[in-house]
Structures are given as C-alpha cells and as structure tokens.
Amino acid sequence: MSAPNNSFDPVEVTPLHPDEVARMREEALAAIEAAADLAELKEVRLAHASDRSPLALANREIGALPPAAKADAGKRVGGARRDVGQALKARQAVLEAERDERVLVEERVDVTLPWDRAPRGARHPLTTVAERMADIFVGMGFEVSEGPEIEAEWFNFDALNFLPDHPARTMQDTFFVESPDGGETGLVMRTHTSPVQVRSLLTRELPVYVVAPGKTFRTDELDATHSPVFHQLEGLVVDKGITLAHLRGAIDAFVGGMFGEGLRTRFRASYFPFTEPSAEVDMECFVCRGASVGDPDAPCRTCSSEGWIEIGGCGVVNPRVLTAAGVDPEVYSGWAFGLGIERTLMFAHGVRDMHDMVEGDIRFTSAFGSEN
Amino acid sequence: MRVPLSWLREYVDLPADVTARDLAAKLTLAGLEVETVDELGTDLTGPLVVGRVLEIEELEGFKKPIRHCKVDVGRANGTGEPQEIVCGARNFSEGDLVVVVLPGGVLPGGFSIGARKTYGRMSAGMICSATELGLWEDHTGIVVLPEGFGAVGDDAIGPLGLREDVLDIAVTPDRGYALSMRGVARDTAALYGAAFRDPAEVAVAAPTGEGHPGRIADPALCDRLVLRGATGFDPDLPSPLWMKRRLHQSGVRPVSLAVDVTNYVMLELGQPLHAWDRDRLDGAVQVRRAASGEKLETLDHVQRVLDADDIVIADDSGAQAIAGVMGGLNTEIGLTSTRVLIEAAHFEPMHIARASRRHQLSSEASRRFERGIDSAVQLAAATRAVELLAELGGARVEDAYTHVDESAARGPIVLRASHPGDVAGVDYPEGTTRTWLERIGCAVEDRGEDLAVTPPTWRPDLTDPNDLAEEVIRFEGYENIPSVPPRAPAGRGLTPGQRLRRTLGRVLADTGYNEVLSYPFVGESDLDGLQLEDDDARRVSLRLANPLNEQEPLLRTTLLPGLFKALARNVGRGFTDVALFEMGLVYRPRPGATRAPLLPVDRGPSAEELRQIDAAVPDQPRRVGAVLAGNAERAGWWGPGRPATWADAIQAARDIARTAGVELEVEADRHAPWHPGRCAALYVRVDGERLLVGHAGELHPRTVKAFGLPERTCAMEVELDRIERARGADTAPTVSTYPVATQDVALVVDESVPVGAVGDALAEGAGELLESVRLFDVYTGEQVGEGRKSAAFTLRFRAGDRTLTAEEAGAARDAAVARAAERTGAALRG
C-alpha cells in the first residue's frame, strides 16, 4: 500500500475522474450481470470487488487529493463500490438459487439404499424388561439389592421359614450343589430371589425398601412355559406400620407402570412359608379386560378367557423371617413379593414360547430394541 | 383334593342357586385354589333308564359269548314292549336290575346309541357298564343295580349320580385340613354364612373294655392310637354304588369294601386309616421306631430296608407297616378276611415327610400326615369306619376298643384383637376377629385388648398371630384390601455398578452384539473343548447333585461354552455373521471351603456365623463374554465386507473398559481357548498394581472344531468385578483453546516388539505437553528391512497457556522418540 503523498499538491488524479469512476462501475456491473455461475461470479468478485480491483485502487488515491476535493471523490467512489457490492450480492443470490434448483438436484442419490454396514445388536428383552420393572420401584424410592445365585441352604430355606422336612421345602424342585470332589456343601442353586430379603435385612439399615431382580433355578425341564433357569423380581419392604394395603398399592403401581393405567388387581389367599398372610396376585387381563369370560365367541388367548392373569406371589413378611434376620418383629413389619420376569415379558410383548428366551437366536433379540 | 359338590352339600346348607363355578371362585379367593371344575355327565343324554332283564338267550357260534336279552324298560321306550338288546357281558342273570340306554341316548365321550343289527339280531340300546357310564373303571361286566334301586322305566341318570360337578382343589402345604370333605365344608360354610354339619361328630360310646392291645413306644412319634375291631365281616359283599362313585369322582380307585371304607372315611374326615386282618396280626400293635436295617415288604411288592428314623407299626413278629406311608404285604386285608381291625393314629408329620421321601413313596396317607391332620379325630374316624363295615359288610362292631391318648393340650395364641386389621390395613369392626376365629373352630377368650385363641385340633398350621390374622383377612376378603401407595424414604437410585452394567449392555448392543442368557450348566466335554490343561483352575467346578442332563453336571467357571453353543445354534439356523455377548455370574469354588452351616432361626446370625456362611458360599464374579464370527462389517453395494478378527474381540474389551472409565493394558499371551499367537491378556491398574481382567482374541482351531464354530471365530471374556475395582472418579480436563502442534513420527523397531509398547513409551516420554498419541500406520517391507517394521504415530501437543513454538513441539517429540528408542530399540525411520 502506498502512503499518502503529501509532498505535492495535485489538482487532479485520473482514476478519480467522474467519467473514469462511472466506467469502472459500469464494467463491474456488466461483468456481474454476465457471470453465468457461482464460479464465474467468484472470478468477477476478484476482478471488480477485491482489494486489487480498479475501484479499490481508485479509492486509495483519495488520500492524495486536496482536502476540498476529497469529499466529492470519496462520495463518488464509495457510491460505485456500494452499487457493485449490492449487484454482487443480488447476483450471488440468483446464482445460488439456480444452483439449488439445478445442480443439487443433479447430485441426487437413492436414499433407499441400505447402510447397514455395521449391524446393530440388541440386549435381551428379559434384561430390559427386568430393568423396566425395577425402575418402576426405583421411581418409588426403592433400591436394587443383589445376592449370589449359588446360595447357602440357610438363606434359601431355613431363614425363610422353610422347615427342614416341610413339604414346602421339597416342593421347590431344588438343584443341590456339590463340591468339585462330590462332597456336601450345604449349597443350592437359589430357587427364588427371596434369600436376597434376608441378605438385605442383614446388610442394610432399616427401614428397607428394595427390589432384587435375578436368576433363579429349579429342576424343571425346558418346555414352552418352564425353564430350569428363570428370573424373578423380589420386592421387600420392612418398616414400621406396614400393611397389606401398602403392598396392594405397590403392586398396583407396578401393574399401572408396566401394563397401563386402570387395570384392576386382586389378591387371592395362598401360602408361602416366608410370608403370613400370603397371597397370589392377579391382574385384570390387559387384552380383554375380562370381556372374554363366559363368551365362547370371543376367546382371549392372553388370559385363557379367565379375565385375570397371575403375575406373582406376595404377603406380609413372616415375623419368623424378621427374627432370623435379626429384626425385631415387635417393632417392624413388612411385606414382600415375587414377580415372574419371564411371565411379564410374555405378557408385555406376546412371547409365546420359553425356548425363544433361552436359545439365543438373534432373530428373537433383534426384534426388541436395546430399550423397551 | 377332588370335591364332588353333592357330597359337599351333605355337610353345608349351601343355597341351591350356588353353582360349582360360583363356589370355585369364592374358595379360590379364600385360599383353596380350585384349579378346575369338572362338569361330569354334561355330555350324557338319556333316555337312560332302569331295566329288568326278562330273558337271556345265549348266542352260539361267535368268537366270544354273546347274549341276546329282553329287558323290561316299562314305558320308557314308548311301547311298553320288552327292549331287545345284544350284550357281551356275562355277570348278570334273568331278573337282575340293570341300566339301559335307549336308542337316541348319548353316553359320556359322545358315544351315540342307536338300534342296529348285530350278531344276527336287532339290538335297540345298550346295557351299560360302570366304565361306559363314567362311574368308575370296571371291565368285569355291566352294572347290576341293587333291588329297590328304582322301578323299571325310571330315569337312572339322577339316582346314579351321573351328573356331578367336581372341584379340583390344589391344597397348599399349610392347609392339610382341606384334604378332607370336612375341612372344605367348614370353610365353605363360613364363606357363605351357611350351617355346617360336622361329619366327625360321631356318637362314640365308652369302650366296654380293652380292644386289641396297642402301645406307643414314644409320644414324640405318635400321640394317639385307636384300634377298633369289626367281626363277622363278609368279604364277598361289594361296596355300594354311591361309595364307589364318590371314590372314583374323588380320584380314588375302588378296590374292595374294606379298603373302600377306609378310603371313604379318609376323604370324609381327612384321617388316613389302616385296615388290618386281625387274624394275621401277631400280638399287640406297637408304634415304634424301626430298627436300623429292619426289612419290610410293602403292598407294592417291594422289599424295603427301613431306617431308624422311620416310624413303623409292628406286631410281635416285626414291622408290618411304614407308619403313615404304606402298609406291609403280610397283614394286608385279604379277600377272605372276616376280622377287621381299623387303626387310626396321629403321627409326627416330619417323620412321615422324611419317610415318604426316603422310600420315594408318596401316598394319599403320607400327603395328609405330612401336612398335619386333626390330632383328635382318630376315635371318630375309626368308629365311623367300623360302623360302615357293619352297615355295608354285615360285620358287628366290637364295643371294646383301644384308645391310647398321649396328646398334650395346646396353649393359646395371644394376639391383639385389632391385629388382623393392623396387618391388612383395614379398620375391621369390633368383634370381627373373634367371629371368624370361632367360625373356623377356635376357642377365643377375651383378655382386655388381647384375645387368647386356642386353635382347633384340625388346624395345626395355626401357630402364630399372623396365621390367625390371615384367617380373618381371607374371610373378610383379600379383594377388599385397599390400595395405598407405599411411602419409601428417598432412595439413592442405582449403584454405580448397576448403572455400568446397563450401559455396557447398550454399548455392546450398539456395536453389533446380541445378548444371550445361556444356562450355566456345562459338562467335562465343554472343558475339554476349551483345551484346558488338567490343572487349569477353570476345571475346578462345583457340580449339581441332581443335574437335569447327566452330561452337564458342572456349574460354569467361564461364560464361553454357553456363548459358543448359542453361536453354533445361530450358524446352524442360517446366520453367517453373528456377534453375541453375555453378562453373568461364573462360579469359582473356594479352596478348602467347608459345608455351609445351618444357622439358628430364632435370632439373627452373629458376625462370626455370617463369616462362616460366606466363606462356604463360592466366589461368584460377574463376567462379560463375547463371541463373533463371519463379517464384522457386512458386504454391500458399498463394497466387500470386513471379516471379524481378533482385533474386534480385543476392541470389545477395550470398549467395555472405556465405558467404565478405565484404560486396558493389552499384552500378548498364550491362554486356552485362544489361538496362541492371537491372544491378548487384558489388565487394569488397581492402586498401581496390574490386575488381570481377562483375555481376548481369535479362538484356537481345536476349540473352533470342538464346538462346531465357523473358522476364525473370535472371543473375549473379562471379569467385570475386577474392571470395577479399577474405576476412579473421572476428573475434568483443562480444555485449552491454544492451537495444536502436530508431529508425525515413523519408528522402525524389531518385528517382535509390540507396537503397543512403542506407543506407551512415546506417551511416557512426550511429557506434559502431549495431548494424544495415535498409531496411524504399520508397515513391513523392503524399505525397513527383514525382521523389522515401521510404526507411524501422530503426536498432538498443546499447552494450556500459550501457543507452542515449533521448537517446543520438536523438543517434546524428540523426548518421546528418545524414550521409545530406550525402551523398544526404536529408530526414527530415515
């Protein structure tokens, strides 16, 4: 850039002559108008609007003018440059619109082509359903408790008031565990998640509000509705002033969260050694809502036209269990429930055969997202 | 327990309009779960009438004897003429009353009866057998009705009781009393507020003297024994029709009158009875423990060796029955027995339960004894039985009988009258508790706010206040318990470990792996397939005493076999590109573990007791395993696919660690079941110490073959619990906004030097200014020479407080290269 020349007093500078400025403006405007595409316009911008363009160079000469002439020349050159700038902007808009109309359309691709280059996998629906079930209770303030799958008999039975020779103990179809050399261990594959009740009471501060999802084991052959390995969600509350009404409330919240609001539940008296009183829990069939009962023309496959679906067992924690876990049953009471996770999955997603849950066929898991 | 409704109605004044289904629904809610209601005879249509056989003509010349009969059916056939019927049975004579189904009738099972020509004669209808009528199983001939059953032509459906509703109740282990008509009737009466007649209220006169001598060796085994005799019994008399029908409807096979009577009384009162042939008994009846090794041949013709824990009924010649389980063959009531001795006893339930299991004999008697029967009903039951033998079998009841009573009275259970309401969360009206407990037979005494409740002898299950609460609540209606949301204190949510597991599942699923949940049962052949050495720790597995599959008695010490099998199954089903993962426990026995103790239950365990029990429970670490075969990236219109390799398997492990915020250290290893040249050992740092967390890589070809996997299958297994131990709190970095200075270096090292070690050395030597180091190329070939390779890294440097000069970046790079040279012999590629 040349510095302003103050050493002489020029009267006139050629590039600033009005005719000359007008000519440069006209040339620029004509070139802009003639630009056929964005690339040409970019060239025109370089030629007529860059720092090296004639108008820019003319602008630099203004400093050399006598003070009286500066304003006039500045106005003239500035106006021309503004006109060129506006024309460029307008032409740019026109050409971009043209490009959008023509060129981008020509660049079109077939968007239906697949791009499953790296296939996604899926989590097992039993896992995600168990999480959903637990989350409903976590939302109520419960925590998730855990325990071992190979369990001491004392935890699995005795502490839960299964007396040594009582029929209830033998009804559980237990897998008994031996040491590597075939010796007795006093261990079993846990037949239910209920031992986690006792473990929770032994390790947590009272009051206790926990759920415990997990694997359980019984010596049932695999068929459409049975599996030697299955899953339960245990629930346990031990607090002061706890009643069956709270249990019903928790079960209702679960059914509402899992299967939809407004489904009725009912308790049926039953027997479990570790709860007294005990109940089986049914929920209203979420498909027919009882409409199929006694209507042979509209049978319901989900509830076998019974109107109710059994979802688990529950009851007031037997005070003997509290005693065995070192909790004073005179001060505390509680309730517990066990819900079948396979059953919940079967009902929630229409799974019909237990084989599908245990075989690991990728078509089965792929049908579910990683979260459901 | 199968309950014919008409039988039940004998004891309960149930409103006439109550149907079997109504009752079933009500009983089910109240804890007697009715599994099915069998509506017997609904598929039966008449005319089915009483007929009298007028004439029998034996037809000759057929393969089996055939009779052509003329049967008087009155006006039931519309004409009054005798009905001509061909019949293959031979157990009847002219003049007998029989059951005739006339043409147009349908027998159970949809068997339509018409008139047709057979054996050269017209046969219009059929003379029915008990089996054909659905009465009971009898293949000896047709039913001959007793004289006086009805007039010819009368409908027989009603009088035969062919239409019956039978409730099948799944009795829970606590409600032994419901294994009797009496018990079900009592609950039914209470539920409907109907009058109840107790069939155990049998008038029993005091004995005129000692009956057959009986002794109880130990009241702890048996606290009541009744022996009552009937003489002059006619063993040829059949059981009456109604009794056989009821037994059959209740699921008990009719045998003979003496046996049927004992079974009938058992169903009625819940008291199992034994009928002895008194002539075969040698001396006093004794209830005692078996001598160890004592032998007895039971009714099922099995010679059994008795256990010292078995209770036996013995006479002077030895054990004659396993008490409460099964009788002996020697003293079985026979076809000629005329002197019958009925034994009714109350045995200790757990002894019976153990004996039943020990001898693998579950009988109607043992089921009742082990659940607990009425401890005071024995005299009534024995008396009821001998009276039936007298009434139906022509016997005379002996007025002298033996009643050994060693029973102790039960003390009361004290509970607050409000306790049932407190348990239910319902404010029951005053007096509710007392009312219901009295209805089920309890004696209730007021003690201020408390009630002292003595349960009846037939409810040994009622021992605690909560047992009584359950009785009140079930009669008040479980369905009437309100729904009140629980108010838990604020929870802390999931633990970090629980959150991590969920996230890991998502990460693995997002990177292509499908989750499987395989069974933890494995066999020796699986461990062999893994190519484990004999002394490999993974061979030391716990075993199932009672596996479902004898080939898979072991409990897994690694997740891999289950994953391999699931992979092979998918491949077998036509999938070539398969990636699977599993997250689950493996079971590692503790060396020298002792038997887990059975702690007391009348108090909480001590810390020492808990330590003992925990020491016996095996270590059960949580692992994540993955296996993949075929293409990791598919072929498609974009080009060829990319096969899954050892690198994918190791990357899965790295992803897991990264997700946990932990860096894995990877090192070459030789470890089964991996390919010895393509196996990585994976480590984390815990408090500066290196901790092995697992392995990954390509599988050994032998393992691939053993499990039938696709060639070059790759796998990974890490112990999540160990990775978690390396987790620390993530701290935020200082994010500098100054420009980056990038330096690329190519280092030549010996072929045997792991590139990972070169990268580690660079990172270590580069100093604080290093932002990242990343390998971008590995080259082998002529330019670097035989046995050498070149590894090219990009080093990115950045300072937090200034723009780095070229000199600073260069110096840091040189320091990095110098460290790599020192550690790995690396030389800058010229």
Side-chain angles (χ1 to χ4, degrees), chain B residues 6 76 80 136 237 345 568:
Chain B
S6 69
W136 60 83
L237 284 174

mmCIF file of all heavy atoms in Angstrom, chain B residues 6 76 80 136 237 345 568:
data_model
loop_
_atom_site.group_PDB
_atom_site.id
_atom_site.type_symbol
_atom_site.label_atom_id
_atom_site.label_comp_id
_atom_site.label_asym_id
_atom_site.label_seq_id
_atom_site.Cartn_x
_atom_site.Cartn_y
_atom_site.Cartn_z
ATOM 1 N N SER B 6 -72.153 -82.527 45.292
ATOM 2 C CA SER B 6 -73.301 -83.091 46.009
ATOM 3 C C SER B 6 -72.865 -83.675 47.355
ATOM 4 O O SER B 6 -73.615 -83.673 48.316
ATOM 5 C CB SER B 6 -73.981 -84.164 45.156
ATOM 6 O OG SER B 6 -73.140 -85.293 45.047
ATOM 7 N N ALA B 76 -90.698 -96.570 29.092
ATOM 8 C CA ALA B 76 -89.643 -95.636 28.681
ATOM 9 C C ALA B 76 -89.380 -95.711 27.183
ATOM 10 O O ALA B 76 -88.916 -94.743 26.577
ATOM 11 C CB ALA B 76 -88.358 -95.935 29.452
ATOM 12 N N GLY B 80 -93.836 -100.051 25.836
ATOM 13 C CA GLY B 80 -94.069 -100.958 26.950
ATOM 14 C C GLY B 80 -93.641 -102.380 26.641
ATOM 15 O O GLY B 80 -93.608 -103.233 27.517
ATOM 16 N N TRP B 136 -67.022 -95.532 37.274
ATOM 17 C CA TRP B 136 -65.695 -95.915 37.725
ATOM 18 C C TRP B 136 -65.158 -96.918 36.735
ATOM 19 O O TRP B 136 -65.896 -97.378 35.860
ATOM 20 C CB TRP B 136 -65.705 -96.480 39.164
ATOM 21 C CG TRP B 136 -66.556 -97.707 39.348
ATOM 22 C CD1 TRP B 136 -66.206 -98.989 39.079
ATOM 23 C CD2 TRP B 136 -67.909 -97.747 39.818
ATOM 24 N NE1 TRP B 136 -67.236 -99.836 39.350
ATOM 25 C CE2 TRP B 136 -68.310 -99.106 39.811
ATOM 26 C CE3 TRP B 136 -68.816 -96.771 40.259
ATOM 27 C CZ2 TRP B 136 -69.570 -99.518 40.209
ATOM 28 C CZ3 TRP B 136 -70.080 -97.186 40.655
ATOM 29 C CH2 TRP B 136 -70.452 -98.532 40.633
ATOM 30 N N LEU B 237 -69.047 -109.138 50.032
ATOM 31 C CA LEU B 237 -70.004 -108.083 49.712
ATOM 32 C C LEU B 237 -69.308 -106.943 48.975
ATOM 33 O O LEU B 237 -68.205 -106.534 49.357
ATOM 34 C CB LEU B 237 -70.663 -107.548 50.988
ATOM 35 C CG LEU B 237 -71.729 -108.469 51.586
ATOM 36 C CD1 LEU B 237 -72.201 -107.911 52.923
ATOM 37 C CD2 LEU B 237 -72.915 -108.607 50.626
ATOM 38 N N ALA B 345 -54.331 -93.330 63.737
ATOM 39 C CA ALA B 345 -53.281 -92.781 64.605
ATOM 40 C C ALA B 345 -52.918 -91.375 64.158
ATOM 41 O O ALA B 345 -53.255 -90.944 63.060
ATOM 42 C CB ALA B 345 -52.046 -93.682 64.557
ATOM 43 N N ALA B 568 -23.121 -71.415 17.657
ATOM 44 C CA ALA B 568 -23.268 -72.550 16.742
ATOM 45 C C ALA B 568 -24.747 -72.736 16.363
ATOM 46 O O ALA B 568 -25.073 -73.073 15.221
ATOM 47 C CB ALA B 568 -22.729 -73.823 17.398
#
